[in-house]
C-alpha cells in the first residue's frame, strides 16, 4: 500500500466513521433521512467532502496506483465509500468540483478492472480487509455491523453451495461422489437461511431504514449515474438457479437479471456470470437418466437434489418475506412522498423492484404463476420416476415457509 493510499485507508477507518456516526445519530433522533440547516451537522458534511477530496487528490498526485487486481478493487471500494457518503448526506450538488478527484480515480480503477466505477456490496463483504478485527464501515453503529456480517456470511454460504454444484457437472448426477456434494450444497443453503433468520431477529427496522439503507443509493461518477449497491450482487445465487434448473437464461426476465448485475459484481464473478447457461442443468440430467437408466445411486441423489432445491427456495423466500418486506416495504409506507423515488438501491420504483423479487422467489421455489411456469412440473416428474407411489399433490414441496 502506497503512503497516500495508506493515509486514505486510515481516514476511512477513523475520522470518516466518526463523522458519519455523529450525523446518523442526529438523523435518527429526529427520525429523518437527512437534516439541513444545522451548523454543527453541516460542518461534519463539509469535512467528509473536503478531507476525502484532499486525500484522494494525493493518491492521484502520487500516481502509484496498486498493480495487483485485488488491491485495485479494494481501493475502488474506499473511493466508493467516500462518494456514497457524500450522496447519502446530500453534501454537494450534482457535478460539484469537490467530487472531481474521486470521480477521476473511480473511473480509472473501474475501467482497469472492467467493473462499474462505484462502491458495491463486494467491497463490504469479500474485499474488505480487517485491521485489528475491524473491517471498513460507514459508521460504528451496531446495526450496520449486524447487516454487513450476516449478509456477508450468507454470500459465502451461497458461494460454498455453488462450488459444490459446479463439481457435479464433470462427474455426473448418478455418481456416488455426487451425494456428498449435494449434501454439502444443501447444508450451505441451510446456513444461508440461518444467517437470514439471525438478521431478521437482530437488525432493528428503524435503524436499518434510517441509518444503513441510505448509503446504498444510486450516485454519479462523472456524467453517469450508477444504481446503488445491492447485497445480491454476486454470481453464486444465479449459478445455483441455472445449474439446478430452477431458472433459465432463455427467459427474458431472468436474462435481464443476470445482465443487469454484471457490472456490479467482482471481476471473477463476471467470468462465472458469462458462463451461466453453458452447461446442461442438473434437473435435465436427472430426468434423462431417471427415464433411461435408473439405479440406486441415481434415486438417492435425486432425493438429495430435490431437498437441495427445497433449501434454495426456502432461503430466498424467507429473505423476501422476512427481510425485504418488513425492512423496506413496510417502513416505506410512512416515508415522505418526495423521498419515495430514492428508496431502493436498484433504481426503479420500489413496487417494480419488489415485484421482480417476488417473481424470483417463485422461480426459486418452483411455484407456478399464470402464464409463467416454473420448474415445478419437471421436479414433480423426477420424484415420480425415482419414488413412485409417494405423490401427495406437492411432490417437490418447494413452497417455502416464511416463518
Amino acid at each position: 500500500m502506497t503512503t497516500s493510499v495508506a493515509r486514505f485507508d486510515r481516514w476511512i477507518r477513523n475520522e470518516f466513521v466518526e463523522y458519519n456516526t455523529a450525523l446518523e445519530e442526529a438523523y435518527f433522533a429526529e427520525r429523518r433521512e437527512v437534516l439541513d440547516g444545522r451548523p454543527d451537522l453541516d460542518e461534519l458534511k463539509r469535512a467528509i467532502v473536503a478531507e476525502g477530496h484532499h486525500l484522494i487528490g494525493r493518491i492521484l498526485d502520487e500516481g502509484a496506483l496498486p498493480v495487483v487486481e485485488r488491491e485495485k478493487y479494494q481501493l475502488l471500494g474506499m473511493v466508493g465509500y467516500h462518494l456514497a457518503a457524500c450522496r447519502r448526506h446530500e453534501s454537494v450538488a450534482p457535478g460539484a468540483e469537490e467530487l472531481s478527484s474521486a470521480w477521476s480515480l473511480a473511473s480509472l480503477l473501474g475501467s482497469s478492472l472492467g467493473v462499474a466505477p462505484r462502491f458495491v456490496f463486494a467491497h463490504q463483504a469479500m474485499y474488505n480487509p480487517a485491521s485489528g478485527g475491524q473491517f471498513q464501515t460507514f459508521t460504528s453503529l451496531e446495526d450496520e455491523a449486524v447487516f454487513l456480517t450476516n449478509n456477508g456470511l450468507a454470500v459465502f454460504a451461497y458461494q460454498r453451495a455453488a462450488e459444490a454444484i459446479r463439481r457435479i457437472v464433470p462427474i455426473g448426477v448418478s455418481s456416488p461422489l455426487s451425494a456428498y456434494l449435494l449434501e454439502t450444497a444443501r447444508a450451505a443453503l441451510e446456513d444461508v437461511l440461518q444467517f437470514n433468520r439471525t438478521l431478521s431477529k437482530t437488525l432493528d427496522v428503524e435503524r436499518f431504514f434510517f441509518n444503513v439503507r441510505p448509503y446504498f443509493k444510486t450516485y454519479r461518477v462523472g456524467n453517469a449515474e450508477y444504481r446503488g449497491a445491492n447485497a445480491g450482487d454476486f454470481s453464486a445465487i444465479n449459478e445455483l438457479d441455472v445449474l439446478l434448473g430452477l431458472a433459465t437464461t432463455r427467459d427474458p426476465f431472468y436474462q435481464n437479471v443476470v445482465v443487469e448485475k454484471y457490472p456490479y459484481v467482482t471481476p471473477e464473478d463476471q467470468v462465472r456470470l458469462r458462463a451461466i447457461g453453458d452447461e446442461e442443468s442438473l434437473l435435465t440430467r436427472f430426468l434423462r437418466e431417471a427415464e433411461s437408466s435408473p439405479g440406486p445411486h441415481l434415486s438417492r441423489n435425486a432425493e438429495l437434489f430435490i431437498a437441495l432445491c427445497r433449501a434454495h427456495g426456502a432461503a430466498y423466500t424467507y429473505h423476501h418475506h422476512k427481510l425485504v418486506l418488513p425492512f423496506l416495504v413496510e417502513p416505506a409506507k410512512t416515508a415522505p412522498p418526495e423521498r419515495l423515488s430514492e428508496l431502493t438501491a436498484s433504481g426503479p420504483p420500489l413496487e417494480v423492484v419488489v415485484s421482480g423479487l417476488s417473481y424470483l422467489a417463485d422461480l426459486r421455489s418452483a411455484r407456478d404463476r399464470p402464464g409463467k411456469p416454473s420448474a415445478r412440473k419437471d421436479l414433480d416428474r423426477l420424484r415420480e420416476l425415482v419414488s413412485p407411489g409417494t405423490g401427495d399433490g406437492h411432490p417437490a414441496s418447494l413452497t417455502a415457509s416464511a416463518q
Side-chain angles (χ1 to χ4, degrees):
M1 189 181 293
T2 64
T3 301
S4 56
V5 173
R7 194 177 293 120
F8 185 44
D9 177 70
R10 285 194 297 272
W11 179 77
I12 287 288
R13 295 176 189 272
N14 294 285
E15 291 91 345
F16 178 76
V17 169
E18 293 172 8
Y19 301 153
N20 285 321
T21 303
L23 287 164
E24 297 303 335
E25 294 289 19
Y27 301 157
F28 192 72
E30 300 289 335
R31 297 303 193 273
R32 296 277 298 277
E33 183 159 322
V34 69
L35 290 170
D36 296 316
R38 279 184 46 176
D40 57 331
L41 302 186
D42 291 343
E43 183 178 353
L44 292 173
K45 294 177 187 180
R46 285 194 295 271
I48 291 172
V49 175
E51 292 176 22
H53 176 68
H54 172 73
L55 291 166
I56 292 169
R58 292 283 296 273
I59 294 172
L60 288 169
D61 291 342
E62 190 174 288
L65 297 181
V67 175
V68 178
E69 184 175 275
R70 170 180 52 80
E71 294 177 354
K72 287 182 182 178
Y73 200 74
Q74 288 170 342
L75 178 56
L76 175 60
M78 287 193 287
V79 177
Y81 270 53
H82 173 250
L83 286 171
C86 291
R87 172 66 181 88
R88 185 270 175 274
H89 300 301
E90 302 174 8
S91 307
V92 294
E97 177 64 26
E98 295 96 325
L99 299 182
S100 60
S101 294
W103 285 348
S104 178
L105 183 53
S107 296
L108 185 64
L109 293 167
S111 297
S112 173
L113 295 163
V115 300
R118 65 151 292 147
F119 143 78
V120 297
F121 188 72
H123 292 121
Q124 294 184 299
M126 293 172 276
Y127 283 83
N128 190 349
S131 177
Q134 295 295 318
F135 46 58
Q136 293 174 348
T137 57
F138 288 103
T139 73
S140 59
L141 298 175
E142 178 64 21
D143 286 280
E144 183 184 355
V146 166
F147 177 77
L148 298 183
T149 299
N150 286 282
N151 270 302
L153 290 171
V155 170
F156 289 139
Y158 270 122
Q159 290 175 332
R160 193 168 91 244
E163 172 63 21
I165 294 308
R166 283 196 298 267
R167 291 184 178 277
I168 294 176
V169 173
I171 65 176
V173 295
S174 60
S175 169
L177 301 178
S178 292
Y180 171 77
L181 296 170
L182 290 163
E183 289 173 336
T184 297
R186 183 180 65 176
L189 293 176
E190 288 171 350
D191 283 350
V192 172
L193 179 57
Q194 187 56 49
F195 293 134
N196 286 340
R197 284 176 174 156
T198 300
L199 190 57
S200 174
K201 292 174 182 177
T202 57
L203 184 63
D204 182 83
V205 172
E206 284 194 317
R207 277 294 190 180
F208 172 77
F209 192 77
F210 285 105
N211 301 135
V212 179
R213 172 195 56 83
Y215 289 98
F216 288 72
K217 290 181 178 181
T218 62
Y219 67 72
R220 288 180 59 190
V221 178
N223 294 322
E225 184 94 2
Y226 293 89
R227 66 107 160 129
N230 188 321
D233 285 336
F234 61 99
S235 67
I237 193 168
N238 304 102
E239 294 175 71
L240 288 168
D241 291 343
V242 177
L243 263 182
L244 293 179
L246 298 172
T248 173
T249 54
R250 293 189 297 275
D251 174 2
F253 165 81
Y254 194 80
Q255 185 179 68
N256 184 66
V257 169
V258 174
V259 170
E260 190 278 335
K261 72 161 56 176
Y262 183 84
Y264 300 92
V265 302
T266 63
E268 63 267 25
D269 271 14
Q270 289 184 340
V271 175
R272 296 188 178 107
L273 282 181
R274 285 199 300 269
I276 281 181
D278 288 352
E279 298 286 355
E280 189 176 45
S281 77
L282 299 193
L283 179 54
T284 299
R285 295 177 184 219
F286 270 115
L287 284 171
R288 184 172 59 249
E289 289 203 35
E291 289 172 343
S292 61
S293 55
H297 284 305
L298 180 72
S299 296
R300 171 59 177 154
N301 288 356
E303 291 173 358
L304 292 172
F305 171 76
I306 291 171
L308 168 61
C309 291
R310 186 180 300 116
H312 187 40
Y316 190 77
T317 301
Y318 186 94
H319 181 275
H320 184 71
H321 288 282
K322 293 297 185 178
L323 293 172
V324 174
L325 299 185
F327 284 84
L328 184 59
V329 177
E330 288 301 316
K333 293 177 181 178
T334 59
E338 67 272 14
R339 291 284 174 181
L340 290 177
S341 64
E342 301 179 348
L343 285 178
T344 72
S346 302
L350 180 60
E351 62 271 17
V352 174
V353 172
V354 173
S355 175
L357 295 176
S358 177
Y359 183 37
L360 276 176
D362 284 350
L363 286 176
R364 288 165 178 158
S365 300
R367 185 186 295 113
D368 289 341
R369 288 187 173 197
K372 294 182 177 180
S374 68
R376 174 68 174 274
K377 181 179 178 181
D378 286 339
L379 285 162
D380 287 356
R381 175 60 178 158
L382 176 60
R383 202 172 85 161
E384 290 171 0
L385 289 169
V386 299
S387 304
T390 60
D392 57 5
H394 298 278
S397 299
L398 296 187
T399 301
S401 168
Q403 301 305 314

